[in-house]
Amino acid sequence: MPSLPLLFTAALLSSWAQLLTDASSWWSLAMNPVQRPEMFIIGAQPVCSQLPGLSPGQRKLCQLYQEHMAYIGEGAKMGIRECQHQFRQRRWNCSTVDNTSVFGRVMQIGSRETAFTYAVSAAGVVNAISRACREGELSTCGCSRAVRPKDLPRDWLWGGCGDNVEYGYRFAKEFVDAREREKNFVKGSEEQGRALMNLQNNEAGRRAVYKMADVACKCHGVSGSCSLKTCWLQLAEFRKVGDRLKEKYDGAAAMRITRQGKLELVNSRFNQPTPEDLVYVDPSPDYCLRNETTGSMGTQGRLCNKTSEGMDGCELMCCGRGYDRFKSVQVERCHCKFHWCCFVRCKKCTEIVDQYICK
Ligand SMILES: *[C@@H]1O[C@H](CO)[C@@H](O)[C@H](O)[C@H]1NC(C)=O
Ligand SMILES: *[C@@H]1O[C@H](CO)[C@@H](O)[C@H](O)[C@H]1NC(C)=O
Ligand SMILES: *[C@@H]1O[C@H](CO)[C@@H](O)[C@H](O)[C@H]1NC(C)=O
Ligand SMILES: *[C@@H]1O[C@H](CO)[C@@H](O)[C@H](O)[C@H]1NC(C)=O
């Protein structure tokens, strides 16, 4: 029998290994082009074991639903792109740093920004899977089976092939939450608080897609008379989902873990967050300076707006360090003329504009 100290060391080592692998995430599916579904051979396990960033439970789901993986990757990519759009004018701009951890160490802080990132990537997965179902790309799902909305005019047909958000939601829940669900945390520990935070934000992201899906219709009938309409359930534009989640980010609730293992509001005068709200457990760093420990990239070299008083203004963006001016040449289309028929011809005008970057 191994001696006790040996066992203890082994346990320590394995928890260390766990910590290291935790730095990576299924988000890395966005970086490694997953082969097209038709490239998967059913039961070919090596593919799943080669994908980086999956937790044991996610690896199992990968083996069962290999054809879904490309869409999970697509969803993650969509989430990252939306995050970068929403945060393009802020100190933390959602930039990705490498292939395995994707966003780097900043995600180790349970901040508002981390909350948004989890939500928007979970939303991306619901979106991508729901659409893949509708397009017939997956063998386990098809068109939406949502029931006909009660307020749909009686002579409109319900039955076009809709985005399958019910399936997308369920699958994303299973897959995205797996990492947090498969572990046993010490009740009331910081790790448990963080896991609960992730789960809440994943759910908020999924629900945003689910709730914003709406009825879309197409006209039929003689010469566009629209006497007949066929309607179906359709995903909202992902930009709108991003906007909604950005609002949730602005109103995110600060939480802490209780000894009983529940998240509670830090300030009990605020409203209890609903499952559609974002929550965070750590204050945000200021993201001003490059810091290898926290993973902050800093704002040195970032473009800023000299006249804006918002986050994109030089004062806030550069954290008071000052900024440099440089001239840049911008080329624009100008003096456009309409030619009969039917094209527009423009000249190219160059303009020299002042731009500012943070010191
Ligand atoms: C990330 O992946 C891309 C393409 O898969 C590769 O070209 C690049 O070198 C990788 N970067 C790192 C830091 O591993
Ligand atoms: C990086 O951040 C950590 C944690 O906030 C802080 O303790 C450390 O001093 C910072 N390092 C640098 C080089 O600023
Ligand atoms: C985001 O910020 C980093 C450094 O702060 C910079 O290198 C990168 O170009 C920025 N990305 C965008 C899209 O502005
Ligand atoms: C800079 O900010 C001002 C005020 O918010 C805005 O009107 C202007 O369009 C911005 N300039 C650029 C280049 O974004």
Side-chain angles (χ1 to χ4, degrees):
M1 245 175 81
S3 64
L4 209 57
L6 198 65
L7 263 179
F8 187 59
T9 320
L12 258 186
L13 275 178
S14 81
S15 68
W16 174 239
Q18 191 68 52
L19 263 181
L20 282 180
T21 52
D22 276 1
S24 70
S25 152
W26 62 272
W27 292 330
S28 56
L29 295 179
M31 317 303 254
N32 292 268
V34 183
Q35 288 118 303
R36 300 299 305 169
E38 52 274 21
M39 300 294 288
F40 286 99
I41 303 157
I42 302 300
Q45 306 213 343
V47 183
C48 293
S49 56
Q50 279 159 19
L51 291 175
L54 299 188
S55 75
Q58 287 169 335
R59 222 168 274 291
K60 262 184 217 132
L61 284 170
C62 170
Q63 277 153 15
L64 287 170
Y65 300 97
Q66 284 193 10
E67 51 172 18
H68 290 51
M69 300 313 286
Y71 298 98
I72 293 177
E74 215 168 86
K77 216 181 282 176
M78 197 187 286
I80 292 169
R81 248 185 276 127
E82 186 55 31
C83 180
Q84 291 180 340
H85 171 80
Q86 296 289 342
F87 285 81
R88 66 200 179 285
Q89 294 181 333
R90 306 184 62 111
R91 287 182 191 158
W92 176 76
N93 63 4
C94 203
S95 49
T96 54
V97 289
D98 61 57
N99 291 346
T100 49
S101 71
V102 184
F103 298 103
R105 294 184 167 207
V106 270
M107 291 298 125
Q108 287 173 12
I109 304 170
S111 64
R112 257 176 214 270
E113 290 72 35
T114 301
F116 181 85
T117 311
Y118 275 72
V120 81
S121 7
V125 173
V126 179
N127 198 92
I129 298 281
S130 309
R131 181 55 55 85
C133 290
R134 170 182 175 171
E135 292 182 341
E137 301 282 352
L138 301 174
S139 58
T140 46
C141 61
C143 304
S144 164
R145 291 209 206 123
V147 293
R148 178 190 175 93
K150 288 201 182 68
D151 54 357
L152 199 70
R154 207 182 297 154
D155 47 352
W156 295 5
L157 298 172
W158 180 250
C161 181
D163 290 309
N164 197 337
V165 284
E166 307 85 20
Y167 185 93
Y169 173 89
R170 265 186 289 126
F171 188 83
K173 191 175 176 79
E174 191 85 5
F175 183 86
V176 176
D177 286 357
R179 180 186 292 274
E180 272 76 22
R181 292 232 180 269
E182 69 201 11
K183 266 193 244 156
N184 285 316
F185 298 97
V186 178
K187 218 186 228 176
S189 64
E190 219 173 283
E191 291 73 35
Q192 193 209 5
R194 180 55 199 275
L196 290 176
M197 166 185 153
N198 292 348
L199 289 171
Q200 160 96 26
N201 295 322
N202 291 344
E203 180 67 15
R206 287 189 293 265
R207 287 201 186 201
V209 177
Y210 193 94
K211 286 210 122 183
M212 293 176 79
D214 204 358
V215 174
C217 299
K218 196 168 75 180
C219 287
H220 308 280
V222 271
S223 59
S225 65
C226 212
S227 52
L228 200 62
K229 275 192 180 187
T230 308
C231 306
W232 61 90
L233 191 66
Q234 177 142 314
L235 291 167
E237 265 173 68
F238 201 64
R239 172 58 33 84
K240 293 201 176 126
V241 173
D243 291 344
R244 162 81 68 101
L245 290 174
K246 178 67 183 340
E247 283 166 24
K248 295 290 182 188
Y249 161 90
D250 290 327
M255 309 295 276
R256 67 175 160 230
I257 187 80
T258 63
R259 251 180 269 145
Q260 291 76 40
K262 294 236 157 62
L263 285 184
E264 70 171 13
L265 281 166
V266 170
N267 186 338
S268 57
R269 277 177 308 157
F270 292 150
N271 286 339
Q272 202 61 33
T274 71
E276 278 149 43
D277 292 326
L278 299 189
V279 300
Y280 62 96
V281 294
D282 295 326
S284 299
D286 61 19
Y287 303 109
C288 280
L289 296 175
R290 190 179 179 83
N291 185 326
E292 302 290 341
T293 318
T294 61
S296 166
M297 318 249 292
T299 61
Q300 194 187 355
R302 286 284 300 279
L303 280 173
C304 61
N305 182 333
K306 189 166 184 287
T307 52
S308 166
E309 286 179 2
M311 267 326 290
D312 63 331
C314 291
E315 222 31 67
L316 285 175
M317 178 65 82
C318 310
C319 309
R321 293 186 308 266
Y323 45 89
D324 291 318
R325 186 176 66 172
F326 70 97
K327 304 241 179 245
S328 96
V329 181
Q330 279 184 352
V331 182
E332 276 178 9
R333 281 150 55 93
C334 57
H335 304 303
C336 295
K337 273 207 186 107
F338 180 75
H339 290 259
W340 188 264
C341 178
C342 293
F343 63 94
V344 176
R345 190 169 274 161
C346 298
K347 293 211 165 105
K348 274 186 189 164
C349 297
T350 56
E351 194 187 0
I352 296 183
V353 293
D354 283 332
Q355 290 206 301
Y356 303 88
I357 56 170
C358 293
K359 288 193 185 184

